Amino acid sequence: MVTKRDRGIIGFSMVGSASGSDGEHGVESVCSLELFTLYLRAEYHGSGAGQSLFDAALGDQPAQLWVARENHRAGAFYARNGFEPDGAEFVDPAHPDLVEVRLVQ
């Protein structure tokens, strides 16, 4: 999905199958659908564009996603949309200070 405004693309999302293991995360998927990416240019945060993009991407389907634990803005957004941490975490050895947590709906 892509969101546009007068001057071009302001955000995008990507969803897909989460079947099987969560690839580099090394754990089994808990939902059949995964939100892989949701990005919105900072100047559009709080405009409703991110929510519209999210709604178009997932609708009412249950899903899972991974988010940086320290990304509090994203965590709050996903919590408002019914996502909760399920206890799964991932730390890439190349980036030990970046902890990802899995959120499920």
Side-chain angles (χ1 to χ4, degrees), residues 39-76:
Y39 174 81
L40 187 67
R41 288 176 42 186
E43 61 264 33
Y44 293 96
H45 289 178
S47 71
Q51 186 65 54
S52 294
L53 190 58
F54 175 88
D55 293 343
L58 290 178
D60 292 332
Q61 300 176 79
Q64 66 180 41
L65 61 91
W66 290 88
V67 65
R69 181 172 37 195
E70 297 302 317
N71 189 341
H72 301 293
R73 181 179 194 93

Side-chain angles (χ1 to χ4, degrees), residues 2-100:
V2 173
T3 298
K4 294 182 179 183
R5 292 280 163 94
D6 296 338
R7 297 187 179 176
I9 295 172
I10 64 166
F12 58 90
S13 64
M14 185 175 76
V15 297
S17 173
S19 62
S21 68
D22 270 345
E24 77 272 5
H25 295 101
V27 296
E28 288 299 314
S29 298
V30 294
C31 293
S32 60
L33 188 65
E34 184 162 347
L35 177 64
F36 295 111
T37 304
L38 178 65
Y39 174 81
L40 187 67
R41 288 176 42 186
E43 61 264 33
Y44 293 96
H45 289 178
S47 71
Q51 186 65 54
S52 294
L53 190 58
F54 175 88
D55 293 343
L58 290 178
D60 292 332
Q61 300 176 79
Q64 66 180 41
L65 61 91
W66 290 88
V67 65
R69 181 172 37 195
E70 297 302 317
N71 189 341
H72 301 293
R73 181 179 194 93
F77 174 83
Y78 293 125
R80 284 192 309 273
N81 282 283
F83 283 83
E84 300 178 335
D86 74 345
E89 294 188 349
F90 175 74
V91 178
D92 184 336
H95 304 283
D97 295 331
L98 176 63
V99 178
E100 292 179 75

